[in-house]
């Protein structure tokens, strides 16, 4: 795992902000990274992972905070208000053979990476390996591995509160098509529901009134009429669909494309080791 190194601000003495280091936006992106923010992330990483991750978000935040102190932009012991108010989190989503670790500040993803476990994931609130039924409603095709439906459910666990927009709906539609092998969108399925949600959300002013990813994707494997392990080609198709519908031509951290890509990489690694 590698984490982008902080980019130095243009003006001498200007602080390094969250938006300079991570792919975040809004209020958080404009905030300077402060020492207590880094300390909170270090504590969260240690509590969940056993130690601070080398080159991870906590390390990047500490480096930025140290620079900001030396530049006189912040003081030791300072904390960013939005980080203090909404907190920092480190969570693990269990998938077959690994955990997908997601680190967030104020609800925005600042890091996501894979930790192999050397075996099939079991319980723990994550996505478990499914056999045959694909979780109840769908039929899993092909060999073992993390299915596209499981990757969609992982997205629901990683960023459940993200309002669905057109890029999410396009990525979900591409994922459903590849999972089922059919260009026909299932009425009432995840893709149709996501498209309706995106259209509805465009008419809503407040995020709290919008339909979220967690609302649509939490039971994806039970809704998909068919499912199968994610491949690199699936990931490329989903990534393409997502970025074509975003002005900045980028994927959402922890989003649909990112989760399918992680699943495909894990499946490819598992095949190489078998």
């Amino acid at each position: 795992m590698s984490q982008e190194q902080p980019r130095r601000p243009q003006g001498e003495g200007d602080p390094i902000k969250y938006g300079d280091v991570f792919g975040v936006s809004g209020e958080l992106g404009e905030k300077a990274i402060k020492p207590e923010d880094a300390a909170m992330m270090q504590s969260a990483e240690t509590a969940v992972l056993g130690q601070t991750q080398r080159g991870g978000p906590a390390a990047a935040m500490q480096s930025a905070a140290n620079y900001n102190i030396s530049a006189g932009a912040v003081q030791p012991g300072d904390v960013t208000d939005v980080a203090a108010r909404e907190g920092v989190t480190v969570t693990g989503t269990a998938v077959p053979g690994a955990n997908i670790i997601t680190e967030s500040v104020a609800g925005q993803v600042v890091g996501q990476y894979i930790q192999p476990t050397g075996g099939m994931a079991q319980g723990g609130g994550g996505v478990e390996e499914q056999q045959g039924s694909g979780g109840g409603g769908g039929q899993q095709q092909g060999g073992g591995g993390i299915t596209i439906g499981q990757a969609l459910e992982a997205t629901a666990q990683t960023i459940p509160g993200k309002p669905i927009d057109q890029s999410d709906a396009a990525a979900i539609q591409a994922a459903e098509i590849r999972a089922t092998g059919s260009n026909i969108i299932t009425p009432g399925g995840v893709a149709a529901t996501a498209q309706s949600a995106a259209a509805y959300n465009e008419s809503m002013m407040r995020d709290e009134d919008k339909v979220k990813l967690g609302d649509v994707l939490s039971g994806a494997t039970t809704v998909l009429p068919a499912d199968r392990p994610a491949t690199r080609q699936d990931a490329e198709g989903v990534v393409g669909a997502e970025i074509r519908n975003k002005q900045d031509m980028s994927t959402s951290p922890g989003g649909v494309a990112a989760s399918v890509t992680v699943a495909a990489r894990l499946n490819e690694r598992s095949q190489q080791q078998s």
Side-chain angles (χ1 to χ4, degrees):
M1 179 193 70
S2 63
Q3 178 68 48
E4 183 181 349
Q5 293 301 308
R7 297 190 295 270
R8 295 299 184 246
Q10 295 297 318
E12 184 176 354
D14 289 343
I16 297 176
K17 301 175 182 178
Y18 277 96
D20 298 324
V21 183
F22 305 111
V24 299
S25 59
E27 181 184 6
L28 181 64
E30 296 301 316
K31 296 291 186 179
I33 299 177
K34 297 182 178 179
E36 284 303 305
D37 304 3
M40 288 191 293
M41 185 60 81
Q42 289 169 355
S43 296
E45 283 189 359
T46 301
V48 174
L49 306 173
Q51 61 183 1
T52 299
Q53 300 301 290
R54 181 178 180 182
M61 290 168 66
Q62 187 62 63
S63 177
N66 288 343
Y67 172 86
N68 290 343
I69 292 173
S70 66
V74 304
Q75 298 297 317
D78 282 356
V79 62
T80 303
D81 54 356
V82 65
R85 183 172 67 248
E86 300 185 36
V88 304
T89 59
V90 177
T91 60
T93 299
V95 296
N99 286 320
I100 302 174
I101 305 299
T102 303
E103 304 194 29
S104 304
V105 177
Q108 297 198 52
V109 176
V110 296
Q112 187 175 49
Y113 48 95
I114 302 165
Q115 276 200 337
T117 59
M120 291 300 181
Q122 301 292 331
V127 180
E128 299 180 12
E129 174 73 356
Q130 299 173 3
Q131 301 293 336
S133 68
Q139 181 177 2
Q140 183 171 321
Q141 303 172 349
I146 305 168
T147 70
I148 293 171
Q150 289 173 326
L152 293 177
E153 289 186 347
T155 304
Q157 295 187 37
T158 302
I159 50 172
K162 180 186 184 299
I164 295 177
D165 58 25
Q166 290 296 339
S167 68
D168 299 318
I172 293 167
Q173 179 174 320
E176 180 178 298
I177 288 172
R178 289 180 172 274
T180 62
S182 171
N183 288 325
I184 300 175
I185 301 303
T186 305
V190 289
T193 304
Q195 187 59 58
S196 297
Y200 172 81
N201 287 348
E202 289 179 347
S203 67
M204 296 291 103
M205 296 295 294
R206 303 186 307 170
D207 281 354
E208 53 263 40
D209 296 329
K210 297 179 180 180
V211 182
K212 313 299 194 302
L213 282 172
D215 300 327
V216 174
L217 298 181
S218 58
T221 56
T222 66
V223 178
L224 288 171
D227 200 5
R228 62 176 180 79
T231 67
R232 180 185 298 183
Q233 290 72 29
D234 297 328
E236 291 172 350
V238 175
V239 167
E242 186 169 313
I243 65 176
R244 282 195 300 272
N245 288 272
K246 289 189 70 177
Q247 290 186 346
D248 61 3
M249 296 291 288
S250 66
T251 59
S252 298
V256 175
S259 293
V260 175
T261 299
V262 168
R265 288 174 180 169
L266 284 169
N267 290 343
E268 191 172 71
R269 180 183 302 172
S270 177
Q271 291 174 356
Q272 291 172 348
Q273 293 175 346
S274 62

